[in-house]
Amino acid sequence: MGQVSTPGGHLVRVAIRSSRRLFRDTLAVCLAGQPEFTVVGHVADDAALLGLCDLCGPDLVVYDAGAGVAEALRALRTLRTRFGRVRLVVIYERLSPEDLAGSRQVGVDTLIPCSHGLDALLMLLHQHADALRSGAPVPVPGGLSAQEREIITLTAAGHPVSRIAELLTMTPFAVENCKRRIYQKLSVTSQSHATARAITLGLVNRAPLPRARVYAAGGLSLAVLCGPDVPARYDVAVALLAEHIPFVTDSGNDDEGLDLWDQAGSGTVPVILVDPTPEAWQRLGDARVPIMVVTSRPMTRGETLDALGRGAVSIVAAERIGEALVPALTLAAAGHLTIDPAAANWLLAAAGTHAGEADGGLPELTIREGDILRSIAAGHSVRQTARSLGIAEKTVENTQARLFRKLGARNRAGALATAHALGLLELLDP
């Protein structure tokens, strides 16, 4: 009921090929909720894709070429030869002039940069679904030559004139002249107007990313999901999809840092960093964006402080992703700091202790009080402490009492817990 089929009497059958498990799983989950599509399978390599197409006969193949298109051309050529009517949509990270020419020769229907994000890809797939239902090609404006269509598509993808000239083996002057002819044919006067007109006509398969309601106040356009391919990252993707929050993923496989401003457009981009490693933090560099840390294990005091110092505004435990991720993201967008209770306990203890300090700083311990604290941390009794320090047991008890007052503790266990929270034990290490 309510499902739309192609002229052949079935839903648009989609096969997905990607070596990135998170991407293919996310796209499959997202398409499963669309009435136009049925996902016949999603596989990781070319051999499995050919077998899947032999078995299921998809109408449309989404092929994730990864960093470059060149290595995919052989498999795409085989697909085009064996399945002449299948539509080929290729997602790429980088595109060279040779890649572009090879894709034209193979018969790729659409090339789309992965930087456009999930929503742009879904819009493109819906356009292909509409064309399949009507039995017509994806509509393009009449009067534009193949070269002009390529130029407006690359322009809308964000490529400057110099890069378009390089990709199409033209001079920048020739590209500018071609753009002027495009403007005249589309009856527009600017690049932004031409892009909007091309989108309306179906020439450019890209739409502005919808702003999720949760981000309306903060002006956020999408999220960037980073981190290793672990279950927690998959759970984050599912949670974002469930709330229709647009996002892109960063695999971190290239040597360049993450350029968040290219992803962001005109909005602010929060980064969701799953189980961060030192390399992941280095990849973020000095990006001035909100960072949410999702961790599969309890974070130590040092790890929490390091994350906060690097710009983290939220810490969420992996087991609480379903209930806490989106609310925490909402609070982060409004400028609030949110920390998982397990990581916040020591912060709360430290805050309570600081509240009792006149100057708001760490309590100042004498050398003897530091010695006593170290002895308590080692598990020594009063008698053992006295022997190791060469002082009377009464002196240990009196010094210990002063230490308790400074730390706001009633006993040795409380003093030790507060000292851990404040980092005093690390300061006392020789």
Side-chain angles (χ1 to χ4, degrees), residues 36-315:
E36 297 92 337
F37 302 103
T38 179
V39 178
V40 298
H42 46 101
V43 296
D45 55 57
D46 295 333
L49 176 61
L50 290 172
L52 177 63
C53 291
D54 280 328
L55 182 65
C56 300
D59 304 300
L60 193 153
V61 171
V62 179
Y63 192 104
D64 178 14
V69 177
E71 295 180 1
L73 291 178
R74 182 176 179 180
L76 292 169
R77 185 174 291 107
T78 302
L79 279 170
R80 177 56 70 212
T81 301
R82 289 170 58 174
F83 311 98
R85 295 186 177 182
V86 70
R87 293 188 178 235
L88 300 179
V89 174
V90 176
I91 305 165
Y92 67 91
E93 292 182 12
R94 301 185 184 90
L95 188 68
S96 69
E98 294 76 19
D99 293 340
L100 185 61
S103 299
R104 286 201 301 262
Q105 292 172 359
V106 166
V108 171
D109 291 279
T110 309
L111 288 164
I112 179 170
C114 62
S115 60
H116 283 188
L118 180 61
D119 286 271
L121 175 60
L122 290 176
M123 176 199 167
L124 166 63
L125 297 182
H126 279 291
Q127 287 184 353
H128 278 288
D130 291 340
L132 284 165
R133 289 198 301 273
S134 65
V138 176
V140 298
L144 290 188
S145 67
Q147 185 181 75
E148 289 167 345
R149 289 197 296 269
E150 288 174 342
I151 288 177
I152 189 60
T153 301
L154 292 171
T155 299
H159 295 297
V161 169
S162 59
R163 179 60 174 157
I164 295 173
E166 180 184 353
L167 287 170
L168 300 180
T169 61
M170 301 170 63
T171 65
F173 181 75
V175 173
E176 291 285 7
N177 282 338
C178 192
K179 286 177 67 175
R180 281 192 284 271
R181 290 197 299 272
I182 293 171
Y183 294 174
Q184 184 176 10
K185 290 180 179 181
L186 295 180
S187 300
V188 299
T189 56
S190 67
Q191 179 171 305
S192 58
H193 193 183
T195 300
R197 176 67 176 152
I199 290 172
T200 302
L201 294 170
L203 173 61
V204 176
N205 300 302
R206 181 185 185 187
L209 290 168
R211 296 180 184 272
R213 179 176 54 83
V214 69
Y215 292 136
L220 302 177
S221 55
L222 74 156
V224 176
L225 178 57
C226 306
D229 190 7
V230 295
R233 195 173 81 162
Y234 175 82
D235 292 341
V236 169
V238 171
L240 294 174
L241 285 171
E243 294 296 327
H244 306 289
I245 298 175
F247 69 96
V248 294
T249 58
D250 175 69
S251 61
N253 292 329
D254 56 77
D255 295 330
E256 299 177 1
L258 181 62
D259 191 345
L260 298 171
W261 304 117
D262 285 347
Q263 306 273 17
S266 60
T268 301
V269 180
V271 172
I272 304 174
L273 195 54
V274 180
D275 291 338
T277 61
E279 293 75 18
W281 285 116
Q282 183 177 6
R283 184 171 174 75
L284 287 177
D286 297 326
R288 303 291 184 181
V289 294
I291 300 172
M292 168 180 284
V293 174
V294 175
T295 176
S296 300
R297 59 172 179 77
M299 295 177 67
T300 66
R301 175 188 179 278
E303 289 171 336
T304 304
L305 280 177
D306 182 61
L308 295 174
R310 292 176 181 270
V313 296
S314 182
I315 298 174

Side-chain angles (χ1 to χ4, degrees), residues 305-360:
L305 280 177
D306 182 61
L308 295 174
R310 292 176 181 270
V313 296
S314 182
I315 298 174
V316 176
E319 62 267 20
R320 301 187 67 237
I321 287 173
E323 63 190 78
L325 182 81
V326 173
L329 207 52
T330 306
L331 290 170
H336 297 284
L337 174 67
T338 60
I339 300 180
D340 188 78
N345 285 338
W346 66 266
L347 278 175
L348 293 173
T353 302
H354 283 308
E357 293 294 314
D359 60 359

